[in-house]
Amino acid sequence: MNFRFLGRSGLKVSEISFGNWLTHGSQVEEDAAIACVKAALDTGITTFDTADVYAGTKAEAVLGRALKGQRRESYELFTKVYWPTGPGQNDRGLSRKHIIESIHGSLRRLQTDYVDLYQAHRFDAETPLEETMLAFADIVRQGKALYIGVSEWTAEQIAAGAKLARELRVPFISNQPQYSMLWRVIESKVIPTSDAEGLGQIVWSPMAKGVLSGKYLPGKPPPADTRAATPGSQFMTSFMTDDVLTRVQQLKPLAQEAGLSMAQLSIAWVLQNKSVSSAIIGASKPEQVLDNVKATGVKLDAELLRRIDTILGPVVERDPAQTSSPNRRP
């Protein structure tokens, strides 16, 4: 496993991190989830990402049990706050009340005294940013989080948050956006702003929700055991057109030439971007982890990258206005 600094901080993270958005506590049994975490640890992954909202807080609890017994200093643990975790009006957003209550709940479920990174899961337009950033700063000073970050914030929101973080002297070091060969909306604005402010990118869905694995074929229904065939898969709609799926199939010879699986090619592709500190993978089976981690340290040559751009160009989403869409998680 290769490691990179997270932004301009001194924190090192594994190039490939393990996330449990769609699996732990919902889609797979706990024994399988724990087996995936063990596989991640065995392959050298040290960075684990979750959120209080995943599986209605169950994902954090599963991850906490899976990591129990591991030396706490040997891994980096990230979680997030924003989405509703209860029925009350204050069980959501980035108010001081919700942030403080949420960190306590997350630490309890994760069975730890602190998280390495605490992230604002979205921007909260209904709460003053000063209130949000002060609450995060207090959590850092209390030792309950070591660093803070955000997820799916626009360039303007990141710049405003970074300004307050400097004034509060709190380590604001990361952004967690969606990023893949098919979804490149962060390249024109978010990445330059993040680079200027010292934030690294921890990217989710490097395989475009599994589409870049090549398992979905144009003109055919998704296989029964895949994500696109399960309830709640409407978030994949934009990637499931025949044009996109046809072009993805054209990547298979390129992956073969590079000696990579389609999954490895897609993960290696995002890691070619020097602004990316880590790519988050998810898995329901340990063998998926074992395959994905082989993307670490892979260097793709310029001609291969050019050919990928030629094949996918017309179907790539690049509009920066797509950042922070309220209908997308994690």
Side-chain angles (χ1 to χ4, degrees):
M1 179 60 61
N2 286 13
F3 295 83
R4 298 184 180 187
F5 286 105
L6 185 48
R8 284 203 293 265
S9 77
L11 178 66
K12 289 184 178 180
V13 294
S14 49
E15 275 192 342
I16 297 172
S17 47
F18 187 87
N20 69 348
W21 169 32
L22 286 174
T23 50
H24 296 186
S26 55
Q27 289 188 358
V28 301
E29 297 297 327
E30 184 159 336
D31 287 350
I34 290 175
C36 289
V37 171
K38 184 179 185 303
L41 291 165
D42 289 345
T43 58
I45 290 175
T46 63
T47 306
F48 295 85
D49 180 80
T50 188
D52 55 6
V53 72
Y54 296 167
T57 73
K58 293 178 183 177
E60 282 187 328
V62 172
L63 185 58
R65 290 191 287 271
L67 290 170
K68 190 173 184 179
Q70 298 293 323
R71 188 173 71 90
R72 180 62 186 87
E73 296 81 2
S74 68
Y75 61 88
E76 305 83 48
L77 185 56
F78 302 168
T79 193
K80 313 181 198 73
V81 56
Y82 171 81
W83 295 104
T85 52
Q89 290 300 302
N90 289 308
D91 289 327
R92 65 199 69 199
L94 297 177
S95 68
R96 181 179 182 83
K97 176 177 173 62
H98 185 52
I99 290 173
I100 299 300
E101 291 173 348
S102 292
I103 188 63
H104 292 155
S106 291
L107 294 178
R108 182 176 63 253
R109 290 185 290 270
L110 291 165
Q111 301 186 50
T112 185
D113 295 328
Y114 69 96
V115 293
D116 296 275
L117 181 69
Y118 199 40
Q119 303 158 97
H121 210 158
R122 289 295 186 275
F123 186 83
D124 185 357
E126 296 182 340
T127 299
L129 184 56
E130 292 82 358
E131 177 181 341
T132 294
M133 296 302 291
L134 179 57
F136 277 121
D138 287 345
I139 285 171
V140 170
R141 293 190 178 102
Q142 291 165 10
K144 295 171 183 174
L146 305 186
Y147 303 87
I148 64 170
V150 299
S151 177
E152 293 290 350
W153 282 27
T154 66
E156 294 77 14
Q157 292 161 353
I158 287 170
K163 181 177 183 295
L164 285 170
R166 284 192 295 273
E167 293 172 0
L168 292 165
R169 301 184 67 81
V170 60
F172 179 30
I173 66 170
S174 67
N175 177 48
Q176 187 174 133
Q178 182 180 181
Y179 187 52
S180 70
M181 294 180 195
L182 291 170
W183 191 268
R184 300 174 63 171
V185 305
I186 62 172
E187 289 182 342
S188 63
K189 293 185 177 181
V190 167
I191 283 182
T193 298
S194 296
D195 287 350
E197 301 292 358
L199 277 64
Q201 308 298 314
I202 309 162
V203 303
W204 61 272
S205 201
M207 289 188 283
K209 305 181 177 74
V211 170
L212 287 169
S213 69
K215 61 189 171 185
Y216 301 113
L217 302 176
K220 295 185 178 181
D225 61 345
T226 60
R227 184 183 303 179
T230 60
S233 63
Q234 66 275 5
F235 63 86
M236 295 180 63
T237 303
S238 64
F239 294 139
M240 293 296 290
T241 67
D242 280 353
D243 191 10
V244 171
L245 298 180
T246 297
R247 291 174 183 276
V248 169
Q249 292 302 308
Q250 294 170 17
L251 296 177
K252 286 185 174 180
L254 277 62
Q256 291 171 354
E257 289 175 25
L260 302 169
S261 69
M262 287 284 283
Q264 292 160 7
L265 177 66
S266 60
I267 296 167
W269 185 90
V270 302
L271 290 173
Q272 304 310 294
N273 191 321
K274 299 303 182 184
S275 297
V276 172
S277 298
S278 187
I280 300 173
I281 64 167
S284 57
K285 301 173 184 177
E287 48 266 36
Q288 293 170 327
V289 179
L290 300 177
D291 178 73
N292 292 350
V293 296
K294 293 176 183 177
T296 185
V298 170
K299 302 299 181 186
L300 303 180
D301 64 48
E303 176 59 17
L304 177 59
L305 295 172
R306 186 196 66 77
R307 291 166 68 190
I308 290 171
D309 284 348
T310 299
I311 291 170
L312 296 180
V315 296
V316 172
E317 180 59 73
R318 299 175 183 271
D319 181 6
Q322 293 294 324
T323 300
S324 196
S325 169
N327 297 319
R328 292 187 293 106
R329 294 182 187 176

